[in-house]
Amino acid sequence: MSKIIVKDLSKNFGKVNALKNVSFEFEENKIYGLLGRNGAGKSTLLNIMTNKLFPTNGEVYVDGENVCENDKVLSKIYCMMEKNLYLDGIKVKEVFKWSKVFYPDFDVEYSLTLADKFGLKINKKVKELSTGYSSIFKIIIALSCNAPIILLDEPVLGLDANHRDLFYKELIANYSERPRTIVISTHLIEEVADIIEKVIIIKDGELIMNDSIENVLSRGYAISGVASKIDEFIENKQVIGVDTLGGLKTAYVVGSLDKSTVPNDLEISKLDLQKLFIQLTNA
Amino acid sequence: MRILTSTKYQFSRARKSLIIFYGILIGVSIAISILNNAFSPGEAGSSNSIEMSSVIFIFVTGLNSFKSEFNFALANGVSRKTLFISSLLNLFSIATLMTFIDLIIGMIFSKISEYNSLFIGIYSGRYGTLKYTAENVLEGILWSVVIYTVVAVIGYLITTLYYRLNKGLKLTISIGVPVFVTIGIPYLDVVTKGKVSYNIYLFFAKALGIYNGASNPYMAVLSGLCAIAIIGGFTYLLIRRATIKE
């Protein structure tokens, strides 16, 4: 069991409302995409979920217990943060050793295998790691700690395409072997779209979407073709966005589609998550 | 369980510094003894610098015991309450270990030079010229552990306070306290004809159990325990709402 309930959560930083009365649930053993623009409140939410920040109002519960100052609950969560919370002088292999002490299920052998795959030198000091390798180092801890809840805040920050690909593959392999609740907060929506099962979108501190990827993408469709024909087709339809390139146009439409009404020279495709996100979160 | 894990981690951090500190301390003490014997043979030297060095070391240890440990604790799912308890346990463990090491070093040096421990120096009225009887060794251990712990928790309170304060308050305290000690107190002394300094002396003399010819280390132990409780209480108030700083 590792169900997370976020209840009436608000967080103010002075006059800024980073989170506004947010309520939702993370179902157990699912991979979530936590999406939002810069400053939307994603990191604030993850920090409150892991007791690094205190909410102004509301609570977060894991398996029915409040996470606030609760060692038992906190030991079930591992949060990979953008900020490095490890000692500057400590070596990578020492962090692995201590992670095993704090998370008894930490798989040291697996962490060493991953370090080898990613080319992370375990004798290096944490402060000597580049941005990319610092992310890799934290990814390895997150994947190896075997906590029932893994929160990944910008996990692929600074990673090259090869390492990002390797990370997604390892994440899926790890999840298949040991399902758990995983929350990925990222800006690279297209890359995680095929991995995540559910999507949560936060805009200006408010929850604007919490649904399965299937449901989200079935809310509408994309239609492409000659601009004049597209304009004619989308008349009286709920269009959330349009891309124009020369004489061609793609319209993103919310609503059900009656295929018999679509002219032959127009092409229908799946609604793109990133496009939907951009349209939903544009001011 | 997390308390012990966190204490173990913090103690491991201090271990290396302790080894370096005692390596230097023992090396310097041996060098001084050799030089003393070479240049002034037959003349006895006197020192209680071991404990004074230990007091400074444990104060610095207290000062270095918050920020990194706080970040590491939060990264590993340890609550602030657990971190606070484990930090106190860690400082107490270091104080106890240092007390025993200092005692052993003191016993060895007392054989080769005219060494007086800080404890026997302060409570000479109670023990006279006697050295290392079962009574004063046990009382000395108890006294040292408590005093070292008090010094460590003072360092811990200062570092926690600085972590919580904003830049303006940090600057105010960093300037205000030294100015008050170096200018304010002497000025008040002039105005009150020495009453301020006398009352400060009186407070510490009573707290240490050496007021008016008394020589009672148990009074110092009791005062020390009260100080640990009060300072610890303030420190916990600062830690309980602390958050990670960017």
Side-chain angles (χ1 to χ4, degrees), chain A residues 69-104:
Chain A
E69 288 296 276
N70 188 332
D71 284 309
K72 188 182 149 199
V73 172
L74 290 170
S75 68
K76 294 179 183 176
I77 310 171
Y78 183 83
C79 179
M80 172 198 168
M81 284 181 77
E82 241 184 285
K83 183 179 161 69
N84 179 29
L85 296 178
Y86 298 100
L87 264 178
D88 282 346
I90 200 164
K91 286 181 178 174
V92 169
K93 65 178 179 186
E94 288 175 286
V95 178
F96 289 172
K97 187 191 90 179
W98 281 108
S99 296
K100 172 77 182 166
V101 177
F102 282 93
Y103 291 92

Side-chain angles (χ1 to χ4, degrees), chain B residues 167-184:
Chain B
K167 276 184 185 170
L169 280 171
K170 268 184 209 168
L171 197 66
T172 308
I173 289 184
S174 301
I175 296 170
V177 172
V179 166
F180 179 71
V181 171
T182 56
I183 299 170

Side-chain angles (χ1 to χ4, degrees), chain A residues 101-154:
Chain A
V101 177
F102 282 93
Y103 291 92
D105 288 336
F106 186 92
D107 189 340
V108 177
E109 207 174 307
Y110 178 57
S111 69
L112 296 175
T113 306
L114 285 180
D116 193 40
K117 280 185 183 176
F118 279 99
L120 174 69
K121 293 185 175 103
I122 59 166
N123 283 315
K124 262 199 165 184
K125 286 181 179 172
V126 172
K127 72 171 176 184
E128 291 168 354
L129 298 174
S130 64
T131 308
Y133 272 105
S134 184
S135 294
I136 288 169
F137 156 70
K138 288 180 273 184
I139 281 171
I140 293 174
I141 298 172
L143 292 178
S144 307
C145 76
N146 286 322
I149 299 165
I150 306 290
L151 311 178
L152 304 166
D153 192 4
E154 295 295 347

Side-chain angles (χ1 to χ4, degrees), chain B residues 89-146:
Chain B
L89 279 176
N90 172 51
L91 294 175
F92 174 76
S93 307
I94 294 171
T96 306
L97 179 67
M98 290 182 74
T99 294
F100 280 98
I101 295 174
D102 289 353
L103 179 69
I104 292 165
I105 295 172
M107 282 176 160
I108 294 167
F109 276 101
S110 70
K111 300 280 181 196
I112 56 173
S113 67
E114 193 61 33
Y115 175 80
N116 262 325
S117 70
L118 187 64
F119 175 69
I120 288 178
I122 292 174
Y123 298 100
S124 55
R126 184 179 179 86
Y127 306 113
T129 54
L130 283 175
K131 277 187 172 180
Y132 301 117
T133 63
E135 186 196 11
N136 71 35
V137 165
L138 288 174
E139 288 177 350
I141 289 171
L142 186 63
W143 183 85
S144 270
V145 169
V146 172

Side-chain angles (χ1 to χ4, degrees), chain B:
Chain B
M1 189 59 196
R2 290 231 136 191
I3 291 175
L4 288 179
T5 307
S6 181
T7 309
K8 193 176 155 189
Y9 167 73
Q10 291 183 54
F11 190 78
S12 79
R13 283 244 300 132
R15 198 172 50 198
K16 201 173 169 186
S17 314
L18 271 168
I19 292 168
I20 294 169
F21 167 71
Y22 278 112
I24 293 170
L25 187 71
I26 292 168
V28 169
S29 300
I30 290 171
I32 289 171
S33 294
I34 292 168
L35 288 172
N36 198 39
N37 285 336
F39 292 105
S40 314
E43 280 184 33
S46 176
S47 166
N48 53 29
S49 58
I50 292 172
E51 284 98 335
M52 287 313 294
S53 307
S54 296
V55 164
I56 294 166
F57 175 84
I58 202 159
F59 177 68
V60 175
T61 302
L63 282 177
N64 282 323
S65 294
F66 182 69
K67 193 179 172 188
S68 302
E69 278 72 7
F70 179 66
N71 283 346
F72 193 84
L74 291 192
N76 288 285
V78 175
S79 67
R80 290 160 186 79
K81 189 171 70 188
T82 300
L83 170 71
F84 169 71
I85 296 168
S86 59
S87 295
L88 286 192
L89 279 176
N90 172 51
L91 294 175
F92 174 76
S93 307
I94 294 171
T96 306
L97 179 67
M98 290 182 74
T99 294
F100 280 98
I101 295 174
D102 289 353
L103 179 69
I104 292 165
I105 295 172
M107 282 176 160
I108 294 167
F109 276 101
S110 70
K111 300 280 181 196
I112 56 173
S113 67
E114 193 61 33
Y115 175 80
N116 262 325
S117 70
L118 187 64
F119 175 69
I120 288 178
I122 292 174
Y123 298 100
S124 55
R126 184 179 179 86
Y127 306 113
T129 54
L130 283 175
K131 277 187 172 180
Y132 301 117
T133 63
E135 186 196 11
N136 71 35
V137 165
L138 288 174
E139 288 177 350
I141 289 171
L142 186 63
W143 183 85
S144 270
V145 169
V146 172
I147 297 301
Y148 284 1
T149 309
V150 171
V151 172
V153 294
I154 289 171
Y156 192 54
L157 171 69
I158 292 169
T159 191
T160 312
L161 184 68
Y162 267 67
Y163 184 84
R164 291 299 311 274
L165 293 177
N166 60 33
K167 276 184 185 170
L169 280 171
K170 268 184 209 168
L171 197 66
T172 308
I173 289 184
S174 301
I175 296 170
V177 172
V179 166
F180 179 71
V181 171
T182 56
I183 299 170
I185 292 178
Y187 174 75
L188 287 172
D189 252 348
V190 172
V191 174
T192 59
K193 292 176 183 167
K195 276 187 182 170
V196 173
S197 292
Y198 179 70
N199 280 312
I200 292 170
Y201 157 76
L202 214 60
F203 172 79
F204 282 105
K206 282 181 178 174
L208 287 169
I210 53 172
Y211 174 64
N212 209 12
S215 188
N216 182 6
Y218 290 103
M219 187 63 206
V221 170
L222 188 66
S223 308
L225 292 175
C226 291
I228 292 167
I230 293 166
I231 297 166
F234 277 120
T235 311
Y236 181 64
L237 289 177
L238 292 167
I239 290 177
R240 63 188 286 268
R241 301 298 289 178
T243 54
I244 283 180
K245 287 187 175 175
E246 289 302 320

